[in-house]
């Protein structure tokens, strides 16, 4: 799995696909009826609009020369009425279309977010998070205009064109054919522009994504930046990223803006052609003067909606660059999925078996090799070993954050790959090595472990992990708002809170991955006392480096380089005088040497 | 108006191009009138007047003018895009620069999602304004003014009659502007919230999965997603009220013209020809007024975003260089705390802290979580300013140091390890971007990271994920340590740096550190006695105070907190030893 970083464009895996457009239509389809209503409104409105010139002509030709004031008043009245009708149509068009546009945006965003929830760790691990964010928020927003107004305009414009062509055909078929002569040329130009424009916009969306990723990471890493006085260097990198965004923007619009002048020039050329042909055909009696004049009037009208359609086409191509990304994310398959005929995992007792498990994050470099573990319900298992030996990996597999490469993991004798994922994870309480705190109150953060827990239960959990004292000493106590990632708490306090969260889940299997690494020994001891009765009846996995933390475990597994090289209780292992003994000696020595 | 002035400050740098663009827009507006006019002439003179020899010249002119017009239009569009992109580039740069220099207390209370919203969505609104709205306003205003001027020139009374509608349009336009602005502000706010909820979900994805809280997250998101839709619809509801009215009012101009003009013609105060001319000019009045509503919308949207950006640009960091700060390159590393007191807001976190450390000395800090250990060292790098007392480095108050110089001579491994999604090499060289490969490897070796890096698929070129995903906790800590060591600082600060590192590796690291710390001042915060016991000075902190200080043996002799912790960590061993009965 190659990881992406901020200055690397993401390759698009699927090629251009007209299906995307179809798929877009499936989002629009539910609003079919309302769109039809809007189109009708638009037609009424344009009908009312068309009355205007007619009324003026009438006034100028008849009422005014005749001095007919009451007739004139009547015309003015009709005109006003027409204006009101247009106004009302416009009002409903705005109402309906913004509703539809926003609903579609909302639906797309929802689908995207929903799939993001399903995606496995590996998806999040392999790219800067800013690049995911930009898809959910910004890309989707860029579709909004296209969806709310673009579609309606397209339909009404197509309609106007049909009507106008109808009129033109009614006047003269031959002239109409001449008037269409520009089409093939226009089609050719569009074809040429299209590919260049599509590439340009894909590039642009990539650059936008890179820029976002860099900003995002700069904000998250600001403390390191300032501590290492990297501000100037970062600013330069930022300028490069920002500049390449600007560059690709300019390139994209340079191509995009070409379409409109092409349409204008082609239109003027065809109009000229029609003049020439038309006038010469007046000479030989083909058309009448009146119909030529009318025809010319229509041909000017004909190109305006066509130019609009051109704009719409532009917008579609631009939107494609975003749509592709959005659909790519919606379609992204999670690596870890529940088997289609997976059963719910029944309430468990907590027997855990690793059966010859082999695992690699990246093919070819196995991290765990033939690991077999047998844990009886209610046992406490401690994992020790050098950092990077695979302890966290073992417990991640237990929650099925990744799929094993080989072997089986069983809980109560059931292979975990045959049960639904939520039913598995809901029975485990996991405290990850990096505690994550959500913005919100401390109360809500702990309650994340079990949403229906009462305040008392939350406080109980906090007391068990010795967090109650410091929480109550805060001005707002449990209602204290913490920010994203828990700024305003010390790291140890954050650990305590995520510890409490895991406990509150009241799990049959409890996983504590270096839960107390940033916590002082005093607190830890107090915590251990409080937890003694809590651990009864639960299977727990504890990872720690301080041996004092784990001595009382029922079973200690010594992990080295992805293998279990020793296994037994503290006393057994000491007696064996193997690696654990050595580790133990070095700890005690380092303390005693004082 | 403030926002307009603000954006002008940026556009001004491209004044010439900007005005050239406006001028070209003017030319195009003028040329726009040529084709309809020519078309009329062709019909009148060529078709009705039978002057067929004029046809080709007319068409030639028409084609020529169109060509010129489209080329000029294409050029000015690009001119405006350039001006706009350059301005945005500059704004973004200023914003980024500001963000780089804002202090920790700002980031403690600001959500990443909010800042992202400023840098993306709000920037887009400003872009749209500079690239499009400005010249549209200009173009329409010009056409409108020309038409009005011309109408007054032809027949002031009729022109006045028509302008009677203007106050009504003005009134509604004004109402629209005032009513729609808050809705745009609300959209911007909601956009921030949406950004925040998504961004937090992405960064917390592991916890979400661990607790199978996908549905809960979905709900949380749906609330914001729905609210975003609602805020957008609120805005649409305002347009829905005003835009049709403005549109119809613009239409009534025609009614007034035909009615009042007709009557004037009938009673002889206006000639028929004049009325026809008015009629041919009416679009030049109508269109801009129709556009007015949409443009006002755009302007308000711009202002709502611009204000947010301006706000962010205006935030001043509390921590900044004094006017004549000390710019000494080399720092010796004498550190003094003199009765330092500090609080984050109301809560007193440090109380009356005093101690002194010389180069070559190591200060160990130990104490319960939340005692204020990390806070203490944050003051040393001046990430926050003390409330009372002073922190001195080399005898100079840190407030008097130039911050960059001060920090360049320190290297901190913070308790929360942050790695960038970059190569391992890039991460280690973060503080010294031009370090050679050898230097990077050397630092990695000192931090006991070299071996495991070599085992990675692409070794030093392996890209780590956001925040160091793909590495184990202890591996991350060692990369961060290497990053700090590469800087070769005078003051080295290790905040709980080996908490996830196993003892054996830690011992090796300690040995290496000892040899390189000869002339440096070093701070080590830890929970394991073994990590601090070699220190020249050990501070035991509790509740923001130093409750004990001294060397390991002094503190043991005191039989206080330190002794107690020692007993807990070491006592176990003693018991075991006596049980085992071995040496
Ligand atoms: N998401 C990941 N992708 C690739 N490699 C990983 C990932 N997480 C951990 N590793 C690698 O797997 C090995 C074991 O890591 P881990 O289980 O976290 O160790 P620890 O025993 O310290 O908890 C390490 O070499 C680490 O670099
Ligand atoms: N950014 C902050 N804003 C407000 N309070 C904070 C902030 N950082 C830490 N605190 C509070 O200050 C106290 C000391 O924190 P800290 O120095 O991080 O403790 P530790 O000794 O564990 O490193 C804690 O009670 C913590 O809640
Ligand atoms: Mg680990
Ligand atoms: Mg700390």
């Amino acid at each position: 799995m190659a990881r992406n970083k901020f200055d690397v464009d993401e390759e698009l895996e699927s090629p251009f696909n007209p299906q995307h457009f179809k798929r877009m239509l499936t989002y629009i389809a539910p609003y079919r009826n309302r769109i039809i209503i809007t189109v009708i409104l638009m037609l009424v409105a344009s009908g009312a609009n068309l009355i205007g010139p007619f009324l003026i002509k009438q006034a100028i030709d008849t009422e005014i020369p005749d001095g007919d004031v009451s007739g004139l008043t009547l015309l003015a009245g009709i005109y006003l009425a027409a204006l009101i009708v247009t106004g009302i149509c416009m009002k409903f068009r705005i109402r309906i279309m913004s509703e539809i546009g926003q609903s579609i945006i909302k639906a797309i965003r929802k689908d995207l977010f929903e799939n993001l929830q399903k995606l496995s760790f590996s998806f999040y691990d392999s790219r800067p998070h800013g690049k995911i964010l930009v898809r959910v928020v910004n890309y989707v927003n860029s579709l909004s205009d296209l969806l709310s107004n673009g579609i309606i305009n397209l339909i009404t414009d197509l309609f106007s064109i049909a009507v106008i062509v109808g009129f033109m055909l009614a006047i003269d078929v031959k002239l109409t054919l001449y008037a269409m002569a520009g089409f093939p040329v226009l089609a050719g130009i569009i074809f040429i522009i299209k590919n260049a424009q599509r590439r340009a916009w894909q590039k642009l969306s990539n650059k936008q994504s890179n820029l976002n990723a860099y900003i995002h990471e700069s904000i998250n890493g600001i403390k390191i930046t300032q501590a290492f006085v990297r501000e100037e260097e970062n600013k330069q990198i930022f300028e490069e990223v920002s500049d390449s965004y600007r560059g690709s923007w300019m390139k994209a619009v340079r191509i995009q803006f070409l379409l409109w002048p092409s349409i204008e020039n082609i239109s003027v050329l065809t109009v000229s052609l029609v003049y020439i042909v038309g006038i010469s055909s007046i000479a030989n009696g083909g058309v009448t003067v009146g119909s030529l004049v009318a025809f010319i009037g229509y041909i000017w009208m004909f190109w305006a909606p066509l130019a609009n359609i051109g704009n719409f086409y532009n917008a579609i191509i631009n939107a494609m660059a975003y749509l592709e990304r959005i659909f790519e994310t919606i379609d992204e398959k999670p690596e870890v999925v529940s088997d289609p005929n997976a059963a719910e995992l029944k309430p468990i007792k907590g027997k855990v078996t690793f059966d010859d498990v082999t695992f690699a994050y990246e093919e070819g470099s196995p991290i765990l090799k033939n690991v077999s573990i047998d844990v009886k319900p209610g046992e406490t298992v401690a994992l020790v070993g050098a950092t990077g030996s695979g302890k966290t990996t073992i417990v991640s597999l237990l929650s099925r954050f990744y799929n094993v490469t080989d072997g089986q993991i069983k809980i109560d004798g059931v292979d975990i790959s045959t049960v639904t994922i939520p039913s598995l994870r809901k029975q485990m309480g996991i405290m990850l090595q990096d505690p994550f705190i959500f913005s919100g109150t401390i109360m809500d953060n702990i309650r994340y472990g079990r949403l229906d827990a009462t305040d008392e239960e939350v406080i109980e959990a906090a007391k068990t992990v010795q967090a109650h004292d410091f929480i109550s000493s805060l001005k707002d106590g449990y209602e204290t708002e913490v920010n994203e990632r828990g700024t305003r708490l010390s790291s140890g306090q954050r650990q305590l809170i995520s510890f409490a969260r895991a406990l509150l889940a009241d799990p049959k299997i409890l996983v504590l991955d270096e839960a107390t690494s940033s916590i002082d020994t005093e607190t830890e001891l107090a915590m251990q006392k409080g937890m003694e009765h809590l651990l009864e009846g639960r299977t727990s996995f504890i990872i720690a480096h301080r041996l004092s933390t784990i001595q009382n475990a029922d079973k200690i597994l010594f992990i080295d380089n992805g293998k279990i090289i020793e296994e037994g209780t503290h006393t057994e292992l000491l007696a064996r005088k193997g690696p654990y003994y050595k580790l133990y000696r070095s700890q005690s020595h380092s303390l005693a040497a004082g | 108006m403030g926002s307009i002035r603000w954006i002008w400050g940026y556009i001004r740098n491209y004044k010439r191009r900007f005005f050239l663009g406006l001028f070209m827009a003017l030319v195009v507006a003028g040329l726009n009138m040529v084709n309809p006019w020519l078309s009329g002439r062709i019909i009148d003179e060529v078709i009705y007047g039978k002057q067929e020899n004029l046809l080709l010249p007319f068409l030639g002119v028409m084609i020529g003018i169109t060509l010129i017009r489209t080329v000029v239009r294409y050029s000015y569009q690009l001119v405006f895009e350039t001006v706009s992109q350059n301005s945005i580039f500059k704004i973004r740069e200023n914003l980024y620069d500001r963000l780089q220099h804002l202090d920790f207390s700002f980031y403690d209370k600001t959500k990443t999602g909010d800042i992202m919203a400023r840098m993306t969505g709000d920037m887009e609104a400003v872009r749209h304004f500079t690239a499009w709205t400005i010249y549209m306003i200009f173009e329409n205003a010009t056409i409108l003014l020309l038409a009005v001027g011309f109408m007054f020139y032809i027949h002031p009374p009729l022109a006045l009659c028509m302008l009677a509608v203007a106050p009504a349009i003005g009134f509604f336009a004004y109402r629209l502007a005032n009513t729609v602005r808050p809705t745009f502000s609300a959209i911007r706010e909601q956009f921030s919230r949406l950004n925040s909820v998504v961004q937090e979900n992405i960064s917390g994805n592991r916890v979400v999965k661990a607790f199978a809280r996908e549905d809960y997250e979905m709900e949380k998101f749906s609330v914001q997603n729905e609210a975003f839709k609602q805020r957008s619809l609120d805005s649409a509801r305002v347009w829905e009220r005003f835009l049709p009215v403005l549109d119809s009012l613009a239409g009534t101009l025609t009614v007034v013209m035909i009615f009042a003009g007709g009557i004037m013609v009938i009673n002889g105060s206006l000639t028929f020809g004049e009325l026809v001319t008015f009629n041919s000019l009416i679009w030049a009045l109508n269109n801009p007024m129709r556009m007015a509503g949409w443009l006002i919308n755009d302007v308000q949207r711009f202002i709502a975003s611009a204000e947010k950006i301006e706000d962010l640009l205006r935030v001043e960091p509390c921590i900044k260089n004094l006017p004549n700060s000390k710019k000494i390159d080399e720092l010796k590393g004498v550190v003094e705390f003199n009765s330092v007191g500090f609080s984050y807001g109301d809560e007193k976190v440090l109380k009356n802290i005093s101690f002194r450390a010389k180069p070559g000395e190591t200060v160990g800090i130990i104490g319960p979580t939340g005692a204020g250990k990390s806070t203490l060292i944050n003051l040393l790098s001046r990430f926050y300013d003390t409330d009372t007392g002073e922190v001195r480095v080399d005898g100079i108050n840190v407030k008097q140091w130039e911050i960059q110089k001060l920090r360049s001579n320190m290297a901190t491994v913070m308790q929360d390890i942050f790695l960038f999604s970059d190569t391992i090499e890039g991460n280690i060289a973060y503080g010294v971007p031009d370090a050679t490969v050898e230097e990077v490897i050397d630092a990695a070796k000192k931090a006991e990271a070299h071996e495991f890096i070599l085992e990675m698929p692409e070794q030093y070129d392996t890209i780590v994920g956001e925040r160091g995903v793909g590495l184990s906790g202890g591996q991350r800590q060692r990369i961060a340590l290497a990053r700090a060591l590469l800087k070769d600082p005078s003051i080295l600060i290790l905040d709980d740096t080996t908490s996830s590192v196993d003892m054996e590796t830690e011992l090796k690291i300690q040995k290496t550190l000892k040899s390189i710390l000869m002339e440096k001042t070093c701070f080590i915060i830890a929970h394991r006695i073994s990590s601090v016991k070699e220190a020249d000075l050990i501070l035991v902190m509790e509740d923001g105070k130093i409750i004990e200080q001294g060397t390991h043996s002094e503190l043991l002799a005191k039989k206080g907190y330190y002794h107690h912790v020692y007993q807990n960590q070491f006592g176990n061993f003693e018991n075991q030893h006596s049980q085992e009965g071995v040496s």
Side-chain angles (χ1 to χ4, degrees), chain B residues 419-544:
Chain B
L419 298 182
F420 293 86
S421 37
D422 194 352
T423 59
I424 290 187
E425 185 187 342
N427 267 297
I428 296 180
Y430 192 75
V432 190
D434 48 8
T436 64
V437 181
E438 289 72 35
E439 287 167 326
V440 169
I441 293 178
D442 186 49
K445 278 184 179 156
K446 285 179 189 156
E448 294 295 327
H450 184 62
E451 273 175 48
F452 82 78
I453 295 174
L454 288 188
E455 281 169 23
M456 316 219 63
E458 288 166 80
Q459 307 187 340
Y460 281 85
D461 293 328
T462 309
I463 296 178
V464 299
E466 180 120 347
R467 286 182 190 268
V469 167
L471 298 173
S472 79
Q475 290 173 339
R476 255 175 260 174
Q477 287 181 333
R478 280 178 284 163
I479 303 259
L481 178 61
R483 172 168 75 188
L485 291 180
L486 181 62
K487 256 183 95 180
D488 191 24
S490 308
I491 301 178
L492 179 68
I493 301 169
L494 308 178
D495 190 351
D496 221 3
T497 302
T498 48
S499 66
S500 296
V501 176
D502 54 294
M503 287 274 180
E504 240 168 304
T505 316
E506 189 191 9
L507 282 178
K508 283 191 212 153
I509 294 175
Q510 276 175 352
K511 216 173 275 166
T512 326
L513 282 184
K514 209 178 275 174
S515 67
I516 53 178
L517 288 180
M518 299 304 264
E519 271 120 54
K520 302 183 196 310
T521 318
C522 179
F523 289 80
I524 297 179
I525 300 180
H527 291 295
R528 294 183 210 156
I529 296 277
S530 58
S531 313
V532 294
K533 72 185 207 330
E534 303 278 320
D536 303 284
L537 173 67
I538 300 173
L539 308 175
V540 182
M541 293 187 66
E542 189 168 25
D543 264 343

Side-chain angles (χ1 to χ4, degrees), chain A residues 95 106 216-218 226 246 254 264 387 439 448 483-485 514 521-522 585 587 590, chain B residues 69 74 86 96 102 108 112 199-200 213 217 226 240 421 467 478 500 503 533 568-569 583:
Chain A
R95 175 180 293 178
K106 189 182 136 187
H216 191 251
E217 199 163 29
S218 297
Q226 294 189 351
R246 170 171 67 179
R254 229 171 271 148
E264 283 275 297
T387 111
S439 57
Y448 203 83
N483 244 323
E484 217 173 275
R485 286 186 179 273
E514 305 199 14
T521 321
E522 299 289 279
R585 293 287 296 173
Q587 284 204 15
S590 81
Chain B
R69 184 168 57 101
Y74 181 79
N86 288 345
Y96 187 82
L102 283 173
D108 285 347
T112 314
Q199 104 85 26
E200 202 171 44
R213 284 284 170 270
E217 289 292 312
E226 172 66 26
E240 170 195 321
S421 37
R467 286 182 190 268
R478 280 178 284 163
S500 296
M503 287 274 180
K533 72 185 207 330
N568 282 333
Q569 289 184 16
S583 64

Side-chain angles (χ1 to χ4, degrees), chain B residues 89-357:
Chain B
F89 181 83
K90 193 78 197 149
I91 297 174
R92 214 185 274 130
E93 184 186 313
N94 287 351
L95 209 49
Y96 187 82
D97 195 38
R98 175 49 47 116
L99 288 172
Q100 291 286 293
H101 291 101
L102 283 173
D103 50 35
F104 282 21
S105 32
F106 171 82
Y107 285 97
D108 285 347
K109 55 181 195 286
T110 313
K111 292 188 180 182
T112 314
D114 286 352
I115 305 178
M116 288 309 289
R118 297 297 87 77
M119 286 297 252
T120 58
D122 288 320
M123 215 53 101
E124 166 60 25
V126 174
R127 186 203 64 74
H128 179 74
F129 180 79
T130 51
W132 194 79
T133 316
I134 290 186
Y135 81 70
M136 283 306 284
I137 293 178
F138 176 77
E139 199 176 280
N140 281 293
T142 320
I143 296 178
L144 185 77
L145 286 179
L146 283 180
V148 170
F150 198 50
M151 285 176 170
F152 268 97
Y153 172 75
I154 300 174
H155 196 261
L158 181 54
L160 264 182
C161 279
M162 291 175 62
L163 280 190
V165 188
I169 292 186
F171 171 75
F172 283 106
Y174 177 77
R175 284 285 309 279
L176 167 65
N178 279 332
T179 326
V180 84
R181 165 101 60 94
T183 68
F184 282 126
S185 300
I187 293 180
R188 298 326 303 165
E189 305 262 330
Q190 187 52 39
F191 181 72
S192 288
R193 259 175 246 135
L194 183 65
N195 243 309
S196 293
V197 78
V198 176
Q199 104 85 26
E200 202 171 44
N201 174 272
I202 296 172
S203 31
N205 75 82
R206 285 175 177 256
V207 180
V208 175
K209 304 229 149 53
F211 288 93
R213 284 284 170 270
E214 289 85 355
D215 295 341
Y216 176 71
E217 289 292 312
M218 204 57 222
E219 252 170 63
K220 222 160 65 177
F221 164 81
S222 294
V223 172
Q224 303 303 336
N225 196 18
E226 172 66 26
F228 185 70
K229 174 183 161 189
Q230 286 309 329
R231 294 297 80 75
S232 308
L233 290 184
D234 288 347
S235 195
R237 244 159 246 140
V238 176
W239 314 344
E240 170 195 321
R241 260 167 63 204
F242 288 99
L243 292 179
V245 175
L246 283 171
D247 197 74
S248 301
L249 277 178
T252 52
L253 281 176
T254 319
V255 181
V256 172
M257 176 203 74
I258 203 73
F259 186 68
I263 291 184
M264 286 175 182
V265 171
I266 292 171
N267 65 30
S269 62
L270 179 80
T271 70
F272 193 75
E274 282 167 339
L275 181 62
V276 174
T277 315
F278 262 82
N279 184 37
S280 66
L281 279 175
I282 194 82
W283 67 267
L285 225 53
N286 251 334
N287 279 351
M289 290 202 170
R290 281 218 165 109
M291 282 302 290
W294 296 102
L295 291 175
I296 286 171
N297 233 348
D298 271 359
V299 173
Q300 297 307 322
R301 193 195 309 260
F302 157 74
I303 292 179
S305 288
E307 278 176 351
K308 292 242 172 281
I309 296 178
E310 280 177 272
D311 282 347
L312 190 52
L313 280 172
R314 264 197 297 265
V315 182
E316 278 295 327
C318 306
I319 312 285
K320 47 184 178 191
N321 287 324
L322 288 178
N324 39 21
S325 52
K326 296 272 184 299
K327 297 191 180 67
I328 305 169
D329 281 327
E330 275 295 315
L331 185 152
K332 288 201 242 6
V334 184
V335 174
E336 265 171 286
F337 274 60
N338 292 331
S339 24
V340 169
F342 175 76
S343 57
Y344 297 103
D346 319 325
E347 212 185 326
K348 270 222 161 300
V349 175
L350 292 181
K351 299 159 199 159
N352 202 15
I353 302 282
S354 300
F355 69 89
R356 201 184 133 85

Side-chain angles (χ1 to χ4, degrees), chain A residues 1 3 125 361-362 367 386-393 402 433, chain B residues 206 456 469-473 475:
Chain A
M1 156 188 58
R3 286 207 181 81
D125 293 354
Y361 287 103
E362 270 160 88
I367 299 290
T387 111
S389 56
K391 305 180 295 294
T392 300
T393 308
Y402 302 92
Q433 194 165 2
Chain B
R206 285 175 177 256
M456 316 219 63
V469 167
L471 298 173
S472 79
Q475 290 173 339

